[in-house]
Amino acid sequence: MTAPVLGHILPVFYCFQGGKGIAVTFGCLLGLLPAIKPVAIFAAFFLLFSLCLQITPHYYRTLVTYFCTLAALYLTSGATAVCVGFLLITGLVFGRLLTSQEEKEKMNVKVKLLWRR
């Protein structure tokens, strides 16, 4: 489960300058089908922090989403392998985000209701 994320974050052919691993994480979790719970939890937290509790910039949204998904998987899932795999993915993504050269702005959280603009 972690190999595609590692390959995306640190690609050998691009001098180890890769992406953040979010899309690949969705792909890895979709590879667990018919077990839909891990990808559903990850998608639910990503949508929650994107639409209802807007966390900006994306850097913090990603950190909070991965952390909350990891906690929810450990609390609700009985599959130890999935929890350990997602723990490793979370560690890779956290390491990538913390060592990135991006300017890290101050975290801003806005509570927005979907039916109000």
Side-chain angles (χ1 to χ4, degrees), residues 6-22:
L6 180 63
H8 180 76
I9 291 173
L10 299 170
V12 176
F13 298 111
Y14 290 108
C15 300
F16 302 103
Q17 299 296 319
K20 294 177 185 158
I22 299 167

Side-chain angles (χ1 to χ4, degrees), residues 38-100:
V39 73
I41 291 172
F42 187 59
F45 277 117
F46 195 79
L47 290 172
L48 173 72
F49 296 128
S50 297
L51 300 175
C52 299
L53 299 172
Q54 285 189 332
I55 298 177
T56 54
H58 298 297
Y59 170 83
Y60 294 107
R61 180 184 314 151
T62 303
L63 289 175
V64 171
T65 300
Y66 274 86
F67 179 73
C68 289
T69 302
L70 181 62
L73 281 177
Y74 271 99
L75 292 174
T76 63
S77 181
T80 306
V82 173
C83 293
V84 170
F86 196 79
L87 174 67
L88 293 173
I89 289 173
T90 302
L92 289 171
V93 171
F94 274 32
R96 167 68 172 104
L97 289 173
L98 294 175
T99 60
S100 73

